[in-house]
């Protein structure tokens, strides 16, 4: 009995360590970042386009635009291909092919991001520069690289969502005379909608947080992009590029950039959680 | 009871490992830690290797990270010697001692196919501030200018800012790359690009333009004619330790200086 209790205590301690590290990280970045936001003024910090950290001007608006642009681009690619792949895997694919395709898509998650970046720089960027013009390092290049990187997340969660749709829906629809495709887009996709939304939002969180690959292919300018072929700097790249050198207010401004990113990701995760909880409730209510 | 004892032992072991790890982190015995500018790093590595061959009681451990990171590392006592590729700021100079071990030319590099051979300092400034957005505004042919700069805080960038830009700012449209190598890689494949980098690292693939009519060479730098020259500093907190003194002494020796000049640096002033 005593050992039972001891083990429970140890496990609790371990669990608390994990959670407290999260709390520590949160407390630390807020402690370092928030005073600077207050000092500069939240409006100016978020909406000014002047980032001259050594002269005391901290405006991260172009980077917010950059993060949003790159993430949206990545989601267009990630969602079209990811959800398409999930539909193929769950509806139109013989089981033997699924057993090859699904693991290979999931394998994409295991490739280090610097490798994605390197392939982007070595192949994608010259291709864009030579065929479409511009510097090559661009919103487009970053979107494509990130789109591929979020594929495993979007695909595997969408597959789970589609598989969770009761078999009777599909059978009922087919029995009513609908074709396979009609069944898929009129019945299954709608039934799995909340799960797919959760997949998209989790993929978005991954895309907005990615750093290394983006630094390598996005060009990191401080300007607001006007087209897909313009280079951008994202919030994460800004932190990673300048962290090594920063001191004083500059360093705090980078933490403040981190706070902004943290808040954005928190909002996305909250949406994902509520949406997927709604799905669970729906299934339970059935 | 037994489980309890095991857990205590396990936790004790973990604690021991953590402490040991922390002890290790403090610096291997027998190494002189040299940290800082990525511009100085390749040269320092070369010299460290040479230096290590000559003696045995300690090795020189060279790491990059950037000029400012090097200065911070020295101030915090993490590094014995910091490498810095720009002049010290006033508040840094008050705390630290610096020795100029070499000078480096800053080359303005373009794609080999770019017909521009010669730029004045003022033209370079107009290019990088974004006032001249096409090459024909500075005597080239009709193509857009693609600026490539380094990240805020880089020693190369600060040297460039001080030597070329003075009060004006580098354009926001400039692509930002985080190393000399990345700048080189971009300029090499982009016919519209212009960047700046350490003269010693230019290599064969890029074209370094003449500045104010003076060719960017070691000889012109030495003679004081090439305008874009910055110091490479070794920085210590207070007077250098015995080991640091020996390494810095070696770097300043005629033999080592000749080696640096062969690699494209301008010798110590």
């Amino acid at each position: 009995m005593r050992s039972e209790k001891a083990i429970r205590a140890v496990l609790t301690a371990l669990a608390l360590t994990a959670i407290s590290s999260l709390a520590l990280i949160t407390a630390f970045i807020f402690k370092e970042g928030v005073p600077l936001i207050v000092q500069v003024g939240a409006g100016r910090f978020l909406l000014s386009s002047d980032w001259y950290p050594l002269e005391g001007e901290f405006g991260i608006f172009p980077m917010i635009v950059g993060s949003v642009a790159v993430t949206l681009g990545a989601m267009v690619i990630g969602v079209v291909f990811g959800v398409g792949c999930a539909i193929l895997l769950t509806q139109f694919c013989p089981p033997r092919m699924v057993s090859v395709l699904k693991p290979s898509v999931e394998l994409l998650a295991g490739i280090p991001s610097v490798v994605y970046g390197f392939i982007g720089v070595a192949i994608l960027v010259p291709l864009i520069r030579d065929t479409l013009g511009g510097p090559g390092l661009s919103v487009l290049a970053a979107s494509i690289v990130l789109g591929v990187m979020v594929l495993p997340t979007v695909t595997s969660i969408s597959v789970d969502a589609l598989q969770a749709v009761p078999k009777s829906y599909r059978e009922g629809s087919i029995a009513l005379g609908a074709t396979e495709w009609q069944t898929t887009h009129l019945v299954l996709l709608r039934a799995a909608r909340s799960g797919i939304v959760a997949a998209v939002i989790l993929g978005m969180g991954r895309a907005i947080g990615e750093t290394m690959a983006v630094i390598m292919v996005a060009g990191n300018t401080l300007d607001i992009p006007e087209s897909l072929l313009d280079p951008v700097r994202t919030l994460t790249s800004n932190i990673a590029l300048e962290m090594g050198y920063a001191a004083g207010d500059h360093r705090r401004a980078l933490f403040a950039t981190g706070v902004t990113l943290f808040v954005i990701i928190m909002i996305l995760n909250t949406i994902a959680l509520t949406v997927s909880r709604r799905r669970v409730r729906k299934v339970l209510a059935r | 009871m037994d489980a309890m004892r095991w857990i205590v032992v396990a936790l004790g072991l973990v604690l021991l490992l953590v402490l040991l790890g922390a002890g290790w982190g403090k610096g291997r015995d027998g190494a002189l830690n040299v940290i800082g500018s990525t511009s100085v790093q390749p040269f320092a590595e070369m010299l460290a290797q040479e230096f290590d061959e000559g003696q045995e009681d300690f090795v020189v451990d060279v790491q990059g990270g950037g000029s400012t990171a090097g200065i911070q590392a020295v101030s915090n006592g993490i590094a014995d010697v910091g490498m810095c590729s720009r002049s010290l700021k006033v508040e840094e100079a008050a705390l630290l001692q610096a020795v100029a071990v070499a000078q480096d030319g800053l080359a303005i590099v373009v794609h080999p196919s770019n017909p521009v051979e010669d730029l004045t300092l003022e033209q370079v400034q107009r290019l990088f501030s974004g006032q001249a957005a096409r090459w024909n505004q500075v005597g080239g042919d009709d193509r857009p200018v693609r600026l490539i700069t380094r990240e805020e805080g880089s020693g190369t960038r600060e040297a460039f800012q001080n030597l070329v830009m003075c009060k004006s700012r580098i354009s926001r449209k400039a692509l930002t790359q985080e190393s000399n190598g990345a700048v080189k890689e971009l300029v090499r494949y982009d016919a519209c690009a212009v960047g700046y980098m350490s003269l010693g690292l230019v290599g064969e693939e890029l074209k370094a333009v003449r500045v104010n009519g003076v060719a960017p060479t070691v000889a012109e730098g030495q003679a004081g004619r090439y305008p874009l020259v910055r110091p490479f500093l070794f920085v210590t907190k207070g007077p250098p330790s015995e080991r640091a003194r020996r390494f810095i002494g070696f770097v300043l020796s005629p033999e080592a200086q000749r080696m640096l000049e062969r690699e494209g640096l301008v010798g110590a002033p």
Side-chain angles (χ1 to χ4, degrees):
Chain A
M1 253 351 250
R2 256 186 83 187
S3 69
E4 194 91 342
K5 260 188 199 153
I7 287 171
R8 179 185 290 184
V10 168
L11 287 178
T12 315
L14 288 177
L16 284 181
T17 320
I19 295 167
S20 62
S21 70
L22 173 70
L24 269 178
I25 292 171
T26 315
F28 188 71
I29 63 169
F30 274 77
K31 186 192 125 243
E32 293 278 315
V34 170
L36 186 112
I37 300 183
V38 173
Q39 177 192 325
V40 179
R44 229 173 105 213
F45 182 71
L46 294 175
L47 298 177
S48 153
S49 303
D50 296 317
W51 175 263
Y52 299 105
L54 301 183
E55 297 164 35
E57 291 199 40
F58 308 104
I60 60 167
F61 186 65
M63 300 161 214
I64 297 178
V65 173
S67 274
V68 170
V70 165
T71 308
L72 283 183
M75 291 330 287
V76 169
I77 293 163
V79 168
V80 169
F81 286 89
V83 175
C85 193
I87 293 173
L88 176 84
L89 288 176
T90 52
Q91 311 301 321
F92 298 104
C93 210
R96 198 173 319 145
M97 232 171 117
V98 175
S99 65
V100 177
L101 280 181
K102 195 160 182 258
S104 26
V105 172
E106 278 159 6
L107 208 61
L108 280 177
I111 299 175
S113 60
V114 66
V115 174
Y116 282 103
F118 188 60
I119 292 175
V121 166
I123 297 170
L124 195 60
V125 167
L127 193 71
I128 293 176
R129 184 167 52 219
D130 297 341
T131 54
L132 301 173
L137 301 162
S138 55
V139 178
L140 182 64
S143 299
I144 294 175
V145 167
L146 282 178
V148 177
M149 291 180 73
V150 301
L151 265 186
T153 316
V154 176
T155 309
S156 62
I157 300 178
S158 303
V159 164
D160 291 345
L162 284 167
Q163 278 171 347
V165 176
K167 270 230 163 62
S168 55
Y169 281 33
R170 182 184 160 83
E171 285 158 2
S173 165
I174 301 270
L176 285 172
T179 62
E180 290 251 18
W181 175 238
Q182 284 169 334
T183 306
T184 303
H185 84 105
L186 292 174
V187 178
L188 296 176
L189 279 184
R190 288 190 187 188
R193 193 174 48 198
S194 52
I196 291 171
V197 170
V200 170
I201 290 173
L202 284 178
M204 225 181 215
R206 170 121 171 75
I208 206 169
E210 176 50 42
T211 311
M212 194 59 221
V214 180
I215 289 188
M216 293 171 80
V217 300
N220 314 315
T221 51
L222 288 169
D223 211 22
I224 297 173
E226 283 158 14
S227 86
L228 277 180
L229 298 177
D230 281 345
V232 282
R233 181 182 297 195
T234 63
L235 293 165
T236 49
S237 334
N238 190 45
I239 300 175
L241 272 177
E242 297 184 358
M243 198 79 236
Y245 299 110
D249 271 357
H250 185 190
R251 207 172 102 96
R252 281 191 283 280
L254 294 183
F255 272 106
T257 313
V259 170
T260 314
L261 196 62
F262 191 92
V263 171
I264 295 175
I265 290 177
M266 276 311 201
I267 294 173
L268 285 181
N269 276 357
T270 318
I271 297 175
L273 273 180
T274 22
V275 170
S276 56
R277 272 214 199 101
R278 200 195 301 159
R279 176 174 61 133
V280 173
R281 267 205 302 276
K282 251 193 212 159
V283 173
L284 287 180
R286 237 171 246 139
Chain B
M1 195 58 216
D2 257 6
M4 186 83 171
R5 196 171 297 152
W6 278 115
I7 285 157
V8 169
V9 170
L11 284 181
L13 272 177
V14 169
L15 193 69
L16 197 72
L17 277 178
V18 169
L19 286 180
L20 272 178
W24 249 308
K26 280 246 159 74
R28 233 175 330 138
D29 196 42
L32 178 78
N33 284 311
V34 180
I35 300 181
S37 163
T38 50
S39 302
V40 189
Q41 188 188 3
F43 305 108
E45 274 167 1
M46 185 188 74
L47 292 173
Q49 203 175 1
E50 201 69 26
F51 180 70
D52 286 345
E53 275 167 22
Q55 51 86 52
E56 276 150 17
D57 52 334
F58 67 96
V59 293
V60 179
D61 198 3
V62 179
Q63 288 174 42
S67 294
T68 309
I71 286 174
Q72 278 173 2
V74 170
S75 317
N76 300 336
I78 297 168
D80 302 301
V81 178
M83 302 177 285
C84 181
S85 59
R86 55 171 168 81
S87 310
L88 290 187
K89 292 172 191 164
V90 182
E91 67 269 22
E92 291 165 351
L95 295 170
L96 302 165
Q97 280 194 3
V99 187
V101 293
Q103 297 180 87
D104 180 33
L106 213 53
I108 308 297
V109 287
V110 297
H111 191 264
S113 76
N114 195 324
V116 169
E117 296 285 344
D118 197 334
L119 291 169
T120 63
L121 266 186
E122 193 244 331
Q123 282 174 324
V124 178
Q125 190 188 351
R126 279 179 54 217
L127 283 173
F128 274 88
S129 60
Q131 287 168 33
R134 299 195 73 84
W135 278 104
N136 55 14
Q137 287 169 274
V138 291
D141 49 10
D142 187 31
R143 48 176 127 181
V145 174
R146 208 114 65 212
L147 303 171
I148 297 162
T149 185
R150 292 287 307 280
E151 72 284 8
E152 200 77 59
S154 135
T156 313
R157 181 185 174 125
E158 277 175 45
F160 180 79
Q161 179 79 42
N162 293 338
L163 291 167
V164 178
M165 302 307 287
C166 304
K167 292 285 166 226
S168 56
R169 285 168 170 170
I170 293 175
S171 164
R172 268 186 209 163
K173 294 197 186 303
L175 298 166
T176 310
Q177 294 292 306
E178 51 176 343
S179 68
N180 279 303
V183 171
K184 187 172 174 179
E185 204 60 19
L186 269 190
V187 177
R188 190 173 163 187
Y189 294 111
D190 189 345
C192 308
V194 58
Y196 54 87
M197 62 187 294
S198 191
L199 180 57
L201 302 174
V202 173
E204 300 291 310
E205 302 93 342
L206 308 182
K207 183 161 84 177
V209 300
R210 298 156 75 94
V211 177
N212 287 349
V214 183
T217 60
V218 175
E220 297 285 10
Q222 208 108 51
R225 281 192 293 270
Y226 187 68
L228 305 179
V229 172
R230 58 171 169 163
F232 275 1
L233 304 176
F234 274 9
V235 179
T236 52
K237 191 179 183 183
S241 66
E242 163 63 24
R243 285 172 172 182
R245 205 159 48 233
R246 273 169 58 195
F247 181 56
I248 295 174
F250 168 74
V251 172
L252 289 173
S253 72
E255 176 201 0
Q257 290 286 316
R258 264 200 304 281
M259 223 175 327
L260 291 177
E261 278 166 33
R262 261 205 309 280
E263 295 295 322
L265 289 188
V266 181

